[in-house]
């Protein structure tokens, strides 16, 4: 091999790398440094929606997904990890929302690079790892630009100065004048008022170099070595390392930019905005009024919106997200002149997905879903604008101080709340509780309203009433659960509920479980020691040490079954309930023989296997349906579900999409296809943090416990998951065991849709009944088709209508008999066609009868008289003279009829003939009505009306009088 000696290029290595490293390369270098070179395990970013922490609305720091580890609630298989975590800060303690755009480094969404050690290495390793990454290639940050802060101790906390870390930095080579000692406010980290805490050390950079005047925090390294108790600070036996460094700031430094917005993380988004608006390019001005400020805000919010929506955060469940989306629409339309505004936000979403999708693949996977949600939110927003703009304009005129608010960014109740305040302007205080409770305003908004209106806020009333409501809720919950005096009884072990035996013939058996009887509780919640049927009644509850019964949860109904004594005495368990506070399961029985159980120590427990199988079939079909819908629709989410024996109801969101009965039938076929594909169904158990690392369907906004059950439906043919959901319910072990799936009801509106379906043998029953009903509809259809004008009669019409009404009634009686949706659609089409034909035939017959009656009255010069015809065809009490008047030619007409306590009148005279005012006034007076205007036709003017007259004799007498009068005094002159 020939070796060449190449003269090295004379290039400043530091300058070269700082100029050439992209944000993607910087992130990758960080991960590779810890994972490949320093034996850390890579943990992918959790979604920005916290799965197991109800205390926060967004994941706002890298440590959030490791919170349970830091609290000692669980352990990780890996003792040191690294990742890049998606973070959102728009509220609470960490709120950057109001600052975004005004400076060069605050963001609502950012990426936190971090490494953690869970008892594996200590302070020295953590500091060395951080220092080496920053100062060695490829980052090559000059050491003279770096400064370190160290905790200086705190007497109040009884925590000494962190001299160990101070010495570590000195050993690394940091000069004394580059080490800053700080107190508890700057260099002591706490998770809360109690719990894990400890000193932290930070690496700052003097950027741009200024002799230490422009210090910017780069990296925070926290040493969690204490646990704060009530009055003491306890040292932990093993401490944790928790570090975090913002990618945006690091990228700014390494790309030699003056702002994070000048980096490649934002430049491509600015290009998208400019290409859309073509007003002016981003120049990096910070004067607060230029378009550059709005560039920064829109780019930042676009990133946050895209990430949040792709992580299944829904605007309908998070008002802060909805506000940011609406604010972005307004910016796009007002400042960048883009109409409609959502198109620009969708373009930004595309760019965010492209630029970050290689690190966070969910952005690419959910891109279409994100854009659909943005478009849907715009439709809601636009509808709101149209509905409140007029009201808001009036309110601002009455109260000009409200100009500082944008009603479209606020919650739906904001405009009605302002209207309420204006109507009650004489109130001395702003009623905080009313605005919070009745109109849904946030405390911050209430405070701003009070400020602009110059009135104090009655905060005390708000807090007192909220406390009362909370107390009331707690008392209600306690009363419901504490009615049972089971405080000293241990938790029931109900893990056996998942133990079922599957046979080859698709049947299941719940094995008998021998359990200890711990207590019998009467209907009043008291533990029974001596029997008294008169006082305690027949209904009691049994408490066992273990059970195989499933209590109602996750939309699934509870099991039923039996308990049996050693002597063979059987008691039916008609229901079970779990007391959430202590985990005790109550088995309800209704029998006068229950006192014999007082002498029993153990019972044989068995779940009704047939009922359980029906529940399992229905619940598994819910998962299949949910999976199919998620593939069929651009975006949807489960809103609710109900699982009963071989029956399920599933409500899902539509987000503006149409979902017709035909779509429901397509979905039915797809579900049946999955059932017949014999996919295995397995239950696995994971921790809530493991949910971050796997692709699993979760409910948006749901907080999951530390231990989560997953129901996996895995296809070996496609080598992929058909469905994978977090679920505590019971399921079949193979989709074949669902047997069949038949949709029996469909309800839909613009926002959501509900599908009800049956499974197993109920499908056969539904189809048999459906065919019977279809046969009835065919009979009625044949009967109508054989009916014509010659053989139609009132009796036949009534018979047809009775059959129609019976069909309709049976279609609606889903609680009595299930009917397949496909059959319902067929029958409804038939009903519609039959009704149209009956209406057409009846109308034609009616016109025939009415025409014949009118024809008799036609004379040479006029047609006047009482219309006497078969009223059986005039049940609607409507004489349609206009459609038969052509029979009379061009002569004047006056027809009168009497039906159902009403006199019907039709009067027509030639257009050129003058109206006889005296006669007409007399005519109106006869009927005791005000004059009615004539309607102009082509050659005639006509009027028709009806007047009530209960007495038929008086009606006919009046009709006769009018006929004589018109013949003598009016039509004889025409």
């Amino acid at each position: 091999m020939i070796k060449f000696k190449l003269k090295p290029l004379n290039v400043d290595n530091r300058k070269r790398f700082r100029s050439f490293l992209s944000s993607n390369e910087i992130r990758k270098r960080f991960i590779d440094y810890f994972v490949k070179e320093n034996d850390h395990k890579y943990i992918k970013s959790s979604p920005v929606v916290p799965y197991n922490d109800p205390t926060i609305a967004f994941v706002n720091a890298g440590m959030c997904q490791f919170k349970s580890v830091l609290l000692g609630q669980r352990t990780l298989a890996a003792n040191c990890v690294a990742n890049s975590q998606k973070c959102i800060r728009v509220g609470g303690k960490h709120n950057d929302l109001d600052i975004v755009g005004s400076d060069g480094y605050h963001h609502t969404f950012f990426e936190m690079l971090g490494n953690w050690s869970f008892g594996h290495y200590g302070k020295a390793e953590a500091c060395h790892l951080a220092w080496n990454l920053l100062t060695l290639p490829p980052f090559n940050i000059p050491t003279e630009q770096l400064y370190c802060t160290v905790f200086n101790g705190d007497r109040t906390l009884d925590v000494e100065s962190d001299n160990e870390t101070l010495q570590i930095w000195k050993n690394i080579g940091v000069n004394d004048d580059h080490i800053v000692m700080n107190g508890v406010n700057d260099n002591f980290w706490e998770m809360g008022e109690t719990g894990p805490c400890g000193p932290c050390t930070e690496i700052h950079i003097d950027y741009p170099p200024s002799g230490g005047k422009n210090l910017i925090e780069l990296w925070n390294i926290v040493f969690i070595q204490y646990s704060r108790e009530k009055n003491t600070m306890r040292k932990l036996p093993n401490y944790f390392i928790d570090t975090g460094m913002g990618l945006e700031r690091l990228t700014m430094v390494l790309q030699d930019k003056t702002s994070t917005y000048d980096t490649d993380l934002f430049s491509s988004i600015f290009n998208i905005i400019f290409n859309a608006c073509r007003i002016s390019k981003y120049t990096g001005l910070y004067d607060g009024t230029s378009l550059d400020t709005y560039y920064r805000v829109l780019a930042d919010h676009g990133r946050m919106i895209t990430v949040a929506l792709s992580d299944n955060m829904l605007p309908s469940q998070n008002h802060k997200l909805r506000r940011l989306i609406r604010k972005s629409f307004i910016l796009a339309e007002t400042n960048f002149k883009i109409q409609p505004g959502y198109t620009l936000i969708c373009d930004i979403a595309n760019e965010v997905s492209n630029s970050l999708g290689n690190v966070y693949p969910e952005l690419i996977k959910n891109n279409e879903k994100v854009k659909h949600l943005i478009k849907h939110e715009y439709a809601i927003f636009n509808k709101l604008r149209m509905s409140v703009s007029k009201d808001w304009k009036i309110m601002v005129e009455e109260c000009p101080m409200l100009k500082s608010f944008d009603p479209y960014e606020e919650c739906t109740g904001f405009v009605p709340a302002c209207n309420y305040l204006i109507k009650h302007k004489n109130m001395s205080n702003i009623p905080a509780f009313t605005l919070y409770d009745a109109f849904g305003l946030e405390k911050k908004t209430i405070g701003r309203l009070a400020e602009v209106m110059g009135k104090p806020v009655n905060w005390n009333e708000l807090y007192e009433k909220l406390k009362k409501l909370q107390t009331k809720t707690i008392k209600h919950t306690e009363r419901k659960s504490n009615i049972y005096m089971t405080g000293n009884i241990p938790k029931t072990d109900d893990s056996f509920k998942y133990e079922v035996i599957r046979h080859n013939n698709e049947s299941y058996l719940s094995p008998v479980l021998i359990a200890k009887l711990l207590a019998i509780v009467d209907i009043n919640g008291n533990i029974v020691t001596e029997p008294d049927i008169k006082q305690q009644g027949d209904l009691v509850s049994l408490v066992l040490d273990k059970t195989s019964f499933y209590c109602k949860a996750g939309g699934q109904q509870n099991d039923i079954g039996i308990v049996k004594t050693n002597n063979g005495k059987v008691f039916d368990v008609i229901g079970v309930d779990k007391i959430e506070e202590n985990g005790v399961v109550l088995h309800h029985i209704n029998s006068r023989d229950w006192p014999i159980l007082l002498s029993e120590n153990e019972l044989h427990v068995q779940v009704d296997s047939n009922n359980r199988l029906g529940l399992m079939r229905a619940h598994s079909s819910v998962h299949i349906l949910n999976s199919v819908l998620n593939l069929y629709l651009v975006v949807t989410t489960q809103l609710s579900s109900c699982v009963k024996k071989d029956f399920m109801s599933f409500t899902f969101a539509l987000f503006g999409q149409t979902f017709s009965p035909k779509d429901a039938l397509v979905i039915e076929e797809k579900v049946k296809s999955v059932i017949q594909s014999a996919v295995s169904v397995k239950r696995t158990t994971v921790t809530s943090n493991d949910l971050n690392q796997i692709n699993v369907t979760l409910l948006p906004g749901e907080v999951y416990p530390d231990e989560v059950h997953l129901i996996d439906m895995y296809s070996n043919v496609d080598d992929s998951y058909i469905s994978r959901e977090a679920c505590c319910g019971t399921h079949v072990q193979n989709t074949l065991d669902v047997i069949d799936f038949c949709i029996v009801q469909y309800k839909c509106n613009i926002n959501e849709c509900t599908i009800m379906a049956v499974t197993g043998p109920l499908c056969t029953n539904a189809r048999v009944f459906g065919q019977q009903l279809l046969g009835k509809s065919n009979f009625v259809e044949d009967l109508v088709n054989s009916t014509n004008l010659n053989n139609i009669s009132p009796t036949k019409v009534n018979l047809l209508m009775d059959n129609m009404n019976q069909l309709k009634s049976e279609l609606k009686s889903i609680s009595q008999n299930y009917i397949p949706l496909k059959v319902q659609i067929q029958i409804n089409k038939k009903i519609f066609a039959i009704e149209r034909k009956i209406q057409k035939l009846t109308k034609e017959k009616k016109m025939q009868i009415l025409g014949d009656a009118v024809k008799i009255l036609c004379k040479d010069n006029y047609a006047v008289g009482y219309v006497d015809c078969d009223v059986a065809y005039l049940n609607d009490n409507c004489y349609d003279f206009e459609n038969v008047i052509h029979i009379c030619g061009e002569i004047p007409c006056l027809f009168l009829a009497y039906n159902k306590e009403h006199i019907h009148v039709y009067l027509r005279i030639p257009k050129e003939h003058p109206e006889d005012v005296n006669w007409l006034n007399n005519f109106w007076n006869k009927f005791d009505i005000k004059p009615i205007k004539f309607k102009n036709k082509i050659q005639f003017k006509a009027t028709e009306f009806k007047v009530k007259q209960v007495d038929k004799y008086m009606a006919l007498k009046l009709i006769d009088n009018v006929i004589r009068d018109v013949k003598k005094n009016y039509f004889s002159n025409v």
Side-chain angles (χ1 to χ4, degrees), residues 56-250:
I56 52 174
F58 298 92
V59 168
N60 55 23
M63 54 73 59
C64 289
Q65 69 167 305
F66 304 114
K67 187 174 177 180
S68 57
V69 179
L70 302 178
L71 288 169
Q73 295 168 349
R74 70 182 186 96
T75 57
L76 284 179
N79 51 22
C80 49
V81 300
N83 83 339
S84 174
Q85 173 64 48
K86 297 174 290 184
C87 298
I88 289 178
R89 291 184 178 176
V90 291
K93 179 182 175 184
H94 301 290
N95 183 8
D96 295 340
L97 180 59
D98 297 332
I99 312 169
V100 167
S102 62
D103 63 22
Y105 55 90
H106 276 99
H107 307 285
T108 55
F109 164 74
F110 63 95
E111 296 176 71
M112 185 68 85
L113 305 173
N115 63 290
W116 288 265
S117 167
F118 305 109
H120 181 62
Y121 55 78
K123 295 181 179 181
E125 293 89 337
C127 293
H128 274 92
L129 284 168
W131 189 264
N132 290 341
L133 177 61
L134 293 177
T135 60
L136 297 177
F139 290 173
N140 285 320
I141 296 177
T143 57
E144 60 270 17
Q145 281 185 247
L146 297 179
Y147 288 73
C148 301
T149 64
V150 179
F151 180 56
N152 200 23
D154 188 274
R155 288 183 180 179
T156 308
L157 294 177
D158 193 25
V159 179
E160 296 177 353
S161 177
D162 191 1
N163 293 324
E164 182 185 355
T165 303
L166 174 63
Q167 193 56 49
I168 290 167
W169 288 128
K170 287 183 177 182
N171 293 343
I172 285 173
V174 181
N175 294 332
D176 288 350
D177 60 348
H178 278 229
I179 299 175
V180 181
M181 304 300 291
N182 285 326
V184 69
N185 291 332
D186 296 309
N187 279 81
F188 195 85
W189 179 87
E190 295 177 278
M191 186 179 287
E193 292 182 6
T194 59
C197 58
C200 63
T201 183
E202 297 166 338
I203 301 176
H204 293 247
I205 184 169
D206 182 21
Y207 185 83
S210 62
K213 294 177 183 177
N214 294 327
L215 293 186
I216 298 174
E217 179 189 333
L218 271 187
W219 206 331
N220 188 11
I221 304 167
V222 181
F223 308 121
I224 304 173
Q225 59 189 98
Y226 298 101
S227 178
R228 188 168 186 171
E229 314 296 342
K230 287 184 179 179
N231 299 311
T232 61
M233 193 72 72
R234 181 172 59 85
K235 202 161 188 175
L236 298 173
N238 293 310
Y239 62 82
F240 305 135
I241 306 293
D242 168 12
T243 88
M245 174 166 57
L247 172 67
E248 291 74 12
R249 287 193 189 181
L250 180 62

Side-chain angles (χ1 to χ4, degrees), residues 81 89 105 115 149 190 221 300 317 326 343 402 445 466 473 502 534 555 562 742 763 767 776 838 866 873 912 955:
V81 300
R89 291 184 178 176
Y105 55 90
N115 63 290
T149 64
E190 295 177 278
I221 304 167
D300 169 85
Q317 295 180 351
R326 290 180 178 179
T343 57
L402 292 173
T445 307
L466 283 178
T473 305
R502 180 178 185 260
K534 287 184 179 180
I562 61 168
C742 179
C763 294
R767 291 195 174 93
K776 289 182 182 179
I838 292 173
Y866 176 71
Y873 291 100
E912 70 278 0

Side-chain angles (χ1 to χ4, degrees), residues 506 614 616-622 624 646-648 668-669 671-676 732 734-743 757-768 820:
E506 299 172 355
M616 294 193 301
R617 279 192 291 245
H619 207 149
S620 294
S621 72
V622 166
I624 299 169
D646 279 317
F647 174 87
M648 57 131 288
E668 180 182 82
E669 289 304 314
V671 171
K672 286 161 67 177
S673 176
V674 173
I675 290 169
Q676 295 306 314
V732 295
N734 190 289
T735 58
L736 274 176
D737 301 339
V738 177
I739 300 175
D740 201 353
F741 180 83
C742 179
I743 297 177
V758 291
T759 58
L762 285 187
C763 294
T764 304
N765 298 343
R767 291 195 174 93
V768 168

Side-chain angles (χ1 to χ4, degrees), residues 522-524 526 528 530-540 592 594:
D522 67 17
I523 197 169
N524 298 313
N526 300 309
V528 177
E530 293 184 8
D532 187 345
I533 293 291
K534 287 184 179 180
Q535 182 182 349
Q536 291 146 352
D538 297 342
L539 183 63
V540 293
R592 296 190 68 81
W594 66 259

Side-chain angles (χ1 to χ4, degrees), residues 639-776:
L639 297 177
S640 65
S641 68
C642 176
V643 174
K644 298 179 182 179
K645 182 187 176 185
D646 279 317
F647 174 87
M648 57 131 288
S649 173
F650 187 81
T651 303
F652 54 97
L654 287 174
F655 300 108
Q657 298 163 103
T658 55
F659 191 85
S660 67
K662 285 184 178 179
D663 290 314
L665 293 180
V666 171
I667 293 298
E668 180 182 82
E669 289 304 314
K670 288 179 180 292
V671 171
K672 286 161 67 177
S673 176
V674 173
I675 290 169
Q676 295 306 314
S677 61
V679 174
S680 66
V681 182
K682 293 181 180 178
R683 177 184 304 280
T684 55
T685 304
V686 298
T687 67
S688 54
N689 279 77
D690 293 332
L691 296 175
N692 298 331
Q693 309 304 314
I694 54 180
N695 186 17
V696 59
T697 301
L698 301 167
L699 292 176
E702 184 81 4
V703 177
Y704 291 89
D706 288 334
E707 188 177 87
V708 181
H709 293 286
L710 295 185
I711 302 301
D712 295 338
M713 297 183 182
Y714 190 81
S715 170
N716 291 320
V717 176
D718 299 328
D719 194 26
S720 63
Y721 285 99
I722 300 294
S723 169
R724 199 174 202 196
E725 282 193 49
C727 178
C728 63
T730 60
H731 292 265
V732 295
Q733 293 174 16
N734 190 289
T735 58
L736 274 176
D737 301 339
V738 177
I739 300 175
D740 201 353
F741 180 83
C742 179
I743 297 177
V744 294
Q745 195 162 358
Y746 154 94
K747 295 177 183 176
C748 214
N749 59 39
I750 194 169
N751 297 316
E752 62 185 47
C753 184
T754 298
I755 285 176
M756 297 181 189
V758 291
T759 58
L762 285 187
C763 294
T764 304
N765 298 343
R767 291 195 174 93
V768 168
F769 184 74
Q771 288 305 310
Q772 291 173 356
L773 206 58
L774 194 60
K776 289 182 182 179

Side-chain angles (χ1 to χ4, degrees), residues 247-264:
L247 172 67
E248 291 74 12
R249 287 193 189 181
L250 180 62
T251 303
M252 175 188 71
V253 170
L254 296 180
Q255 292 183 355
D256 203 21
K257 303 295 183 182
T258 57
S259 160
T260 53
Y261 289 98
D262 296 331
T263 66
D264 64 349

Side-chain angles (χ1 to χ4, degrees), residues 455-473:
K455 290 184 179 181
V457 184
N458 196 344
W459 292 117
N460 289 334
E461 179 204 26
L462 174 67
Y463 296 131
E464 284 173 12
K465 288 191 175 181
L466 283 178
K467 193 174 181 181
K468 281 182 182 177
L469 280 176
Q470 190 178 21
T471 307
K472 188 177 179 181
T473 305

